[in-house]
Amino acid sequence: MSDLSVDYAVLNRVRHNLDHIAELMRKPGREMRDVTGDSMGVPELARRMDDFGDEWSYGIKQLTKFSEKASKALLKVKESFERLDHELAESQRKKQGGK
């Protein structure tokens, strides 16, 4: 027997948090993408604001993507452990029934 255990409640909570992070990041990413430097008035400031908005939007998009991928990976881990738990329970049931 193995000493390995999985806390499904923790896995579910972490997945929920990652999904929530991804959702929270979408709004500021869209808003920063829509900000234009022209509203700043000063040409150099406008150019820098445009650059910042592009970089911010890209960074937020990456965080969103990574959060979604991490959530999906945790779901696969959870499903694999649940499948293993079921297989082990079936094996034990058959073994006890065969005695």
Side-chain angles (χ1 to χ4, degrees), residues 27-66:
K27 186 174 186 252
R30 284 190 304 267
E31 290 173 354
M32 284 306 295
R33 184 187 62 230
D34 295 340
V35 171
T36 64
D38 295 336
S39 62
M40 299 291 127
V42 179
E44 180 63 21
L45 182 57
R47 186 184 61 73
R48 288 185 181 201
M49 189 61 194
D50 285 339
D51 291 344
F52 174 77
D54 292 342
E55 289 174 16
W56 176 271
S57 181
Y58 174 78
I60 294 297
K61 204 178 295 181
Q62 292 302 312
L63 285 172
T64 301
K65 184 170 58 171
F66 295 145

